[in-house]
Amino acid sequence: MVAGANREPQGVLPQQLGEGEQADLKMVQNLIAEGKKARGKWDQKEEWDKLLDFHLGDQWKYYQAGVSPLKPKPVLNIIHSTVQTVVALLTDAEPGFSIQGFEPTDFDFGEKLGLIRQAWWDRTGAQQKINDAILAAAIYPFSVIKVIWDQELEDGIGDINFELVDGQDI
């Protein structure tokens, strides 16, 4: 059993819960324990480093531990080139957004909103952030983009900001 999986909720005793709520609590605790167990090997930094090494072509150090370091280790790294090709195909075109009004009088307004959206996309470097996230997802088991409202952007007016989160921090 994973440590902390049977922890009781703060402020509510199990005796205060109804029968259905106790079953729900038990189910959630089991799901948390199952999730912790499933990601157990990804909690180790060595696994993340191994994935990056494979991507960069340094995979033989995991298989030739007994071979002399003086012996050359030629590597034909098809992992890196394959990943780069797939990422290039996935990120070739940026996502399309269409802003259209319902009324004919909204046509000009929708067109201007579309231009504003395109200017925001270019100004924030959104396409590069998407490319980085897709590359991270191709190397590691997943990638996460955190989307926040950053009050400091645009001279204190605020704007949407998003950044790639290191998967080891999840």
Side-chain angles (χ1 to χ4, degrees), residues 5-131:
N6 289 326
R7 216 174 355 178
E8 296 172 1
Q10 298 271 332
V12 177
L13 298 173
Q15 301 88 331
Q16 295 172 327
L17 298 174
E19 188 174 311
E21 291 172 326
Q22 286 181 353
D24 291 344
L25 176 62
K26 183 81 169 157
M27 179 193 68
V28 169
Q29 290 172 335
N30 289 337
L31 288 173
I32 290 172
E34 184 180 329
K36 286 182 179 182
K37 183 179 176 186
R39 70 161 281 151
K41 77 175 193 172
W42 301 112
D43 286 338
Q44 302 165 1
K45 184 175 178 355
E46 297 81 28
E47 286 294 324
W48 288 89
D49 293 341
K50 184 176 178 181
L51 291 171
L52 185 59
D53 286 341
F54 267 70
H55 174 69
L56 297 176
D58 198 12
Q59 65 265 35
W60 295 112
K61 70 182 180 184
Y62 297 99
Y63 299 112
Q64 297 179 350
V67 176
S68 168
L70 302 176
K71 184 176 180 182
K73 300 174 189 157
V75 173
L76 177 60
N77 188 3
I78 62 169
I79 296 172
H80 184 270
S81 61
T82 303
V83 165
Q84 294 299 333
T85 301
V86 169
V87 169
L89 290 172
L90 290 173
T91 61
D92 184 35
E94 68 180 51
F97 301 95
S98 178
I99 301 172
Q100 300 175 353
F102 290 111
E103 303 292 327
T105 56
D106 294 338
F107 178 75
D108 290 336
F109 182 66
E111 190 174 297
K112 293 205 180 357
L113 282 179
L115 292 173
I116 291 169
R117 196 250 350 129
Q118 183 63 45
W120 174 85
W121 186 267
D122 295 338
R123 187 182 71 247
T124 60
Q127 186 62 44
Q128 184 60 47
K129 293 175 184 179
I130 297 293
N131 293 358

Side-chain angles (χ1 to χ4, degrees), residues 39 42 48 133 136-144 165-170:
R39 70 161 281 151
W42 301 112
W48 288 89
I139 296 171
Y140 301 112
F142 61 91
S143 74
V144 175
V165 177
D166 186 357
Q168 296 181 44
D169 295 337
I170 302 290

